[in-house]
Amino acid sequence: MEKVLLELGQGFALLGRQYKIVVAEEEFYIDLLFYHTRLHAYMVVELKGGAFKPEYTGKLNFYCSAVDDLLRSELDQATIGLILCREAGKQTIVEYALRDIQKPLGVAEYILTQTLPESLRNILPTTEELERELDENFED
């Protein structure tokens, strides 16, 4: 999955998968944590195996606030949050969930294609491997 997300564009550096943060002596794990070298901002990515649920925004907002306080320096921009779902869900639900949140958060649907270009077959995981990874590790 990390290889696919690295294809988002240039400038993304993966800091960790299941990246541990400690808040008030409790441990929490961010699915994927990136740093964008051109934007000078952390990016928190939460992976969800099903449709979007409004409560995901609270968790993402919490992670972004924690990263802002624990990792971000005065030279960095605000942390960006992304919820990546197998199904984005109904647009109105997503809009209501994000409406009054001031942080840069977003929701996107990922689409698994059945065929990969020949040049990427040996580099990227197959659709079946991605689906298996999501089913095993990123259940709601």
Side-chain angles (χ1 to χ4, degrees):
M1 187 50 132
E2 293 105 1
K3 291 178 185 177
V4 173
L5 291 175
L6 287 171
E7 294 297 319
L8 287 171
Q10 293 182 354
F12 283 95
L14 178 65
L15 298 181
R17 178 172 178 231
Q18 295 300 308
Y19 188 94
K20 182 174 89 170
I21 57 172
V22 179
V23 177
E25 300 179 15
E26 288 189 45
E27 295 178 355
F28 298 90
Y29 295 89
I30 297 170
D31 287 341
L32 296 169
L33 181 63
F34 292 92
Y35 186 81
H36 196 282
T37 58
R38 291 186 179 157
L39 296 175
H40 298 282
Y42 288 93
M43 182 172 188
V44 171
V45 178
E46 280 297 295
L47 303 171
K48 300 300 178 188
F52 173 80
K53 294 180 183 176
E55 55 265 29
Y56 296 160
T57 57
K59 183 177 184 181
L60 185 62
N61 189 46
F62 170 80
Y63 285 157
C64 287
S65 294
V67 168
D68 278 346
D69 283 352
L70 300 173
L71 302 176
R72 189 178 97 177
S73 76
E74 64 276 352
L75 301 175
D76 294 324
Q77 301 297 317
T79 299
I80 300 165
L82 176 64
I83 302 167
L84 195 54
C85 302
R86 187 169 289 192
E87 301 169 41
K90 297 179 181 167
Q91 184 175 351
T92 304
I93 294 172
V94 173
E95 287 178 15
Y96 284 177
L98 295 175
R99 180 176 284 173
D100 295 320
I101 294 179
Q102 302 304 310
K103 288 183 177 43
L105 304 182
V107 176
E109 180 177 324
Y110 60 85
I111 299 171
L112 301 175
T113 61
Q114 295 303 315
T115 59
L116 289 172
E118 190 69 40
S119 61
L120 298 178
R121 286 192 186 153
N122 294 329
I123 299 170
L124 297 175
T126 65
T127 301
E128 292 78 20
E129 291 170 333
L130 287 172
E131 288 176 339
R132 189 170 42 254
E133 176 80 12
L134 288 168
D135 289 340
E136 291 174 3
N137 296 311
F138 301 110
E139 295 181 14
D140 300 340

